[in-house]
Amino acid sequence: YIGLENYITALSDPAFKVAVLNSLKWVFIIVPSQLLVGLCLALLLNRKFKGCGFVRSLCMVPWVTSGVVIALMWSWIYNANFGVLNDVLKRMGLITKNVAWLADASTALNSEIIVMVWQGIPFFTVMLLASMQSIPVELYEAADVAGANNWQKFRYITLPFLVPTITITSLLRFIWVANNVDIIYQMTQGGPGYSSLTLSVYAYMEAQKSMDFGYASALAVYG
């Protein structure tokens, strides 16, 4: 029995301190970004247009794709030598030489945040779209009669109906994103150095690679 030794060790571990800061950045950038983009897409897809069913189905592709496959695909996109991102940016004149997105400590975590935002947008889109379609049409018709503009209809009709859905989906995504391991682990394993290490990835690596299950459990509790 070692009491609180694992927790004390974690607090004095430099990797733990970096992982905490990275975890906060990871969660509080990804979830609001997913929510904002998902809301905008839901508003667009709530309109009737030709092929809307196909477009709605297409939007689900990132969500239903395996995290390992997503990590592998984006690793190729970010590849410093033959990645399509560097090629596109050079053709646009935004960069003059290839960037090692995942091998540079200043860009690794931000690159993975983009991947995670892309992967989780469909969840918010589908949930918010379903909530929008349950709003009675009569409310919008009454607003039109009263001379309300689009912003007023969104502010006073759509948004209040969406608040419960936004609250529940955001809480779920905060939990899921905080516990996510596969994207970071498959792309950088927390590197280079500790630059993209989060608490969930650190706990996984300590348990599965170092076989230090006690310390991993302490990290998981902090996470």
Side-chain angles (χ1 to χ4, degrees):
Y1 180 73
I2 60 172
L4 300 177
E5 184 176 336
N6 281 322
Y7 300 97
I8 296 172
T9 301
L11 292 174
S12 61
D13 185 356
F16 171 78
K17 297 174 183 177
V18 175
V20 170
L21 295 176
N22 285 343
S23 296
L24 293 173
K25 182 179 179 181
W26 176 257
V27 171
F28 286 102
I29 291 179
I30 289 174
V31 177
S33 300
Q34 290 177 342
L35 172 60
L36 180 60
V37 179
L39 177 59
C40 293
L41 280 176
L43 290 169
L44 290 174
L45 295 176
N46 196 38
R47 300 172 179 269
K48 295 293 182 180
F49 58 90
K50 187 176 181 179
C52 65
F54 174 75
V55 175
R56 290 173 182 175
S57 302
L58 193 63
C59 287
M60 286 300 296
V61 171
W63 180 250
V64 300
T65 305
S66 166
V68 175
V69 174
I70 289 174
L72 181 61
M73 178 184 71
W74 279 89
S75 294
W76 291 340
I77 293 174
Y78 284 135
N79 188 276
N81 298 316
F82 53 81
V84 68
L85 179 60
N86 279 325
D87 183 60
V88 170
L89 293 178
K90 283 196 294 185
R91 290 175 184 272
M92 295 174 63
L94 298 178
I95 60 174
T96 56
K97 61 180 181 179
N98 287 350
V99 178
W101 301 100
L102 299 179
D104 189 332
S106 64
T107 59
L109 182 61
N110 292 331
S111 299
E112 291 163 334
I113 285 175
I114 292 173
V115 177
M116 195 64 184
V117 170
W118 175 82
Q119 188 266 346
I121 287 172
F123 175 74
F124 280 106
T125 301
V126 171
M127 298 300 290
L128 294 175
L129 179 59
S131 184
M132 287 178 190
Q133 293 183 339
S134 67
I135 301 174
V137 179
E138 292 80 5
L139 295 177
Y140 293 105
E141 293 174 347
D144 288 330
V145 172
N149 57 35
N150 289 332
W151 166 249
Q152 290 171 327
K153 286 188 283 187
F154 173 77
R155 170 66 179 84
Y156 296 105
I157 300 176
T158 306
L159 192 58
F161 272 91
L162 294 182
V163 168
T165 303
I166 289 174
T167 302
I168 295 172
T169 52
S170 296
L171 287 174
L172 287 173
R173 286 306 291 163
F174 271 114
I175 296 170
W176 294 343
V177 170
N179 292 331
N180 182 269
V181 173
D182 50 2
I183 298 296
I184 292 179
Y185 186 77
Q186 292 294 328
M187 295 181 75
T188 59
Q189 296 190 8
Y194 299 141
S195 62
S196 62
L197 189 67
T198 60
L199 285 172
S200 57
V201 175
Y202 193 24
Y204 174 81
M205 293 175 66
E206 287 295 318
Q208 299 300 321
K209 300 185 72 173
S210 301
M211 303 300 289
D212 191 349
F213 293 101
Y215 187 45
S217 299
L219 294 172
V221 169
Y222 281 121

